[in-house]
């Protein structure tokens, strides 16, 4: 027999099991005279004998859900009643077991129907997706330009060459190195399909090959303006491997520029132990505020990524360097997200003009005397500042000029202080070869010819 | 190869002494002599290390 105490609503029903004793029974179980089986939730039952409520644990034991054991046997004609509320579900409740892991989401998969959407990969983005069962799905990795403040973090741009052994120089664009040991920095090509991150097929990585001896080797990049990431938590991430187990210790510095406050810095993370396989490493650091600091010209945030202290011979390979706000290493992207954008970003700091093939023109100019001419060259992007007075040059024998006399190799080429960040000028020196105010062209037939302008920090 | 010194005449008529330095491997650098004179004796480049 069942009684619904709230007949007009969904809720608890009270099931009564009723039994007339024949005498001597101490156990109640089975089917009563109304075809009702004895079932109950232990602890929720009420047991009556002749209308008197018995005391649980004193007068009876009810632990199985299907039997009740009485301490005193019934006598013939006693009426034993077990009253048990039904198990019920609250309408429209969501079982907590629907989600199974940290980050899981509940999403609707139809009208009044919910399902679990498992957490996405780090850095992925939730997007609407009508094809997905839940109407949304995780998309990623997302390559978002502008998040990474490291320029040429994928080592795709190498204007200055592909192998370097003179300490204290730039290598791949924006990447400077120095060491007191014998070191060769070189461009290395990935085997197609072997780049360490899915979805980003990079052509090159950066190799530091250090011979035994010396005490350190460091590669660094200066991010323009010390205000960058000031008072923010940032995450440095990169992929790396080595010829043997080796530990590198990335470091950062805040340099406040000429006339600015004293440089400060700290380690990023507590060191990364590289193995012989590509592994992505990351560490988070809080960059101090610049409040109260004096910021001069040419300030920067400097990141030493491949920094090894020790005398052992070691080969360290690095790729995919990223410095971003926040405490999560999100999927790698270059600073600009495009090849042309990354080249332009590099050329803000260094521009090398060269001869691609055959005849190549560097620029036109005008004679200022019989012995020299000024030749103008437009950089493809406005440089960070007026370039250094130091020109990178190929051998003079690779250049030719055309002026008032027959073309010939110049005696010298020099930086001209008339240069601006958006118009560069070179002085071509050759005795008795020009006319003041006359036109001059600087060109080459040699593919080795180049002129480089430096506006690095 | 020894550095090559030469003079250029600026647009205002003044003269600046320059030097051309052979870095090896076909690479050269041209810079004012005043900059060259500030370089450490053991350095072939103007960029100081960290």
């Amino acid at each position: 027999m069942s009684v619904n105490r709230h007949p007009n609503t969904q809720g608890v029903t009270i099931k009564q099991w009723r039994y007339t004793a024949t005498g001597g029974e101490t156990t109640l179980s089975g089917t009563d005279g109304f075809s009702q089986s004895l079932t109950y939730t232990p602890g929720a039952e009420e047991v009556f004998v002749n209308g008197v409520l018995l005391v649980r644990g004193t007068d009876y034991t009810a632990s199985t859900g299907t039997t009740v054991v009485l301490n005193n046997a019934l006598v013939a004609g006693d009426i034993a009643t077990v009253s048990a509320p039904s198990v019920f579900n609250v309408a429209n409740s969501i079982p907590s077991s629907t989600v199974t892991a940290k980050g899981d989401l509940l999403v609707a998969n139809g009208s009044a129907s919910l399902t679990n959407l498992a957490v996405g990969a780090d850095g992925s983005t939730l997007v609407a997706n009508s094809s997905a069962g839940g109407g949304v799905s995780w998309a990623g990795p997302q390559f978002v330009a502008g998040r990474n403040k490291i320029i040429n973090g994928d080592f795709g741009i190498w204007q200055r060459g592909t192998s370097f052994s003179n300490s204290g120089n730039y290598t791949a664009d924006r990447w400077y190195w120095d060491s007191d040991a014998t070191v060769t920095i070189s461009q290395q090509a990935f085997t197609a399909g072997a780049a360490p991150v899915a979805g980003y097929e990079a052509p090159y990585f950066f190799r530091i090959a250090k011979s035994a001896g010396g005490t350190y080797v460091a590669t660094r990049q200066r991010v323009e303006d010390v205000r960058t990431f000031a008072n923010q938590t940032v995450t440095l991430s990169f992929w790396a491997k080595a010829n043997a187990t080796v530990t590198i210790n990335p470091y950062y510095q805040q340099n406040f520029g000429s006339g600015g406050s004293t440089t400060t810095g700290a380690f990023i993370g507590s060191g990364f132990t590289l193995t012989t396989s590509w592994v992505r490493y990351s560490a988070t650091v809080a960059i101090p505020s610049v409040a109260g600091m004096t910021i001069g010209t040419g300030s920067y945030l400097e990141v030493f990524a491949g920094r090894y202290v020790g005398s052992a011979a070691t080969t360290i390979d690095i790729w995919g360097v990223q410095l971003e706000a926040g405490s999560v290493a999100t999927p790698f992207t270059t600073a600009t997200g495009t090849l042309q954008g990354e080249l332009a970003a590099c050329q803000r700091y260094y521009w090398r003009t060269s001869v691609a093939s055959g005849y190549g023109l560097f620029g036109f100019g005008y004679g200022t005397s019989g012995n020299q001419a000024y030749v103008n060259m437009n950089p493809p992007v406005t440089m960070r500042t007026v370039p250094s007075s130091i020109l990178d040059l190929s051998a003079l024998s690779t250049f030719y000029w055309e002026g008032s006399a027959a073309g010939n190799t110049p005696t010298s080429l020099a930086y001209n202080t008339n240069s601006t960040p958006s118009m560069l000028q070179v002085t071509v020196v050759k005795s008795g070869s020009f006319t003041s105010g006359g036109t001059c062209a600087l060109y080459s037939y040699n593919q080795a010819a180049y002129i480089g302008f430096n506006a690095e920090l | 190869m020894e550095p090559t010194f030469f003079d250029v005449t600026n647009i205002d008529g003044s003269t600046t002494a320059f030097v051309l330095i052979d870095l090896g491997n076909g690479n050269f650098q041209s810079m004012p002599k005043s900059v060259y004179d500030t370089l450490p004796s053991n350095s072939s480049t103007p960029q100081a290390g960290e």
Side-chain angles (χ1 to χ4, degrees), chain A residues 168-169 176 178 222 302 372 374 389-396 412-415 418 429 450 454, chain B residues 6-11 18 20 23 26-32 35 44-50:
Chain A
N169 269 306
Y176 179 91
D178 68 341
R222 291 175 173 170
E302 188 170 36
Q372 68 178 33
Y374 293 172
S389 57
I390 302 169
L391 291 180
D392 289 343
L393 297 168
S394 56
L396 292 175
S412 281
L413 295 174
Y415 176 79
N418 297 327
V429 179
Y450 69 84
N454 183 354
Chain B
F6 59 98
D7 293 331
V8 299
T9 304
N10 300 314
I11 200 167
F18 272 81
L20 183 69
L23 302 179
N27 300 312
F28 292 76
Q29 283 188 333
S30 162
M31 67 183 75
V35 174
S44 61
T45 70
Q47 296 287 345
E50 292 296 332

Side-chain angles (χ1 to χ4, degrees), chain A residues 29-52:
Chain A
S29 64
T31 304
D32 67 4
F34 303 94
S35 301
Q36 183 76 47
S37 296
L38 176 59
T39 58
Y40 60 90
T41 300
E45 83 293 332
E46 293 175 327
V47 180
F48 300 84
V49 174
N50 298 325
V52 176

Side-chain angles (χ1 to χ4, degrees), chain A residues 289-335:
Chain A
S289 167
V290 294
M293 298 294 189
T294 301
I295 300 175
T297 56
S299 70
Y300 52 82
L301 174 67
E302 188 170 36
V303 177
F304 295 81
R307 179 179 176 278
Y308 166 74
V309 177
S311 60
T314 184
T315 298
I316 298 170
D317 296 334
I318 298 178
W319 182 84
V321 184
Q322 181 158 282
L323 183 71
E324 60 189 310
S327 56
V328 175
T330 63
F332 173 76
T333 183
T334 54

Side-chain angles (χ1 to χ4, degrees), chain A residues 58 66 79 96 128 130 227 276 348 352 372 389 420 431 434 446:
Chain A
T58 299
T66 56
I79 297 176
S96 59
S130 61
R227 298 173 183 84
T276 55
R348 173 175 170 80
R352 176 172 289 195
Q372 68 178 33
S389 57
T420 72
S431 178
F434 305 102
N446 191 328

Side-chain angles (χ1 to χ4, degrees), chain A residues 37-74:
Chain A
S37 296
L38 176 59
T39 58
Y40 60 90
T41 300
E45 83 293 332
E46 293 175 327
V47 180
F48 300 84
V49 174
N50 298 325
V52 176
L53 178 63
L54 304 186
V55 178
R56 181 183 301 117
T58 299
D59 298 328
Y60 69 93
T61 300
S63 59
T64 66
T66 56
T67 61
V68 172
V69 179
L70 302 172
N71 285 357
N72 297 315
L74 298 174

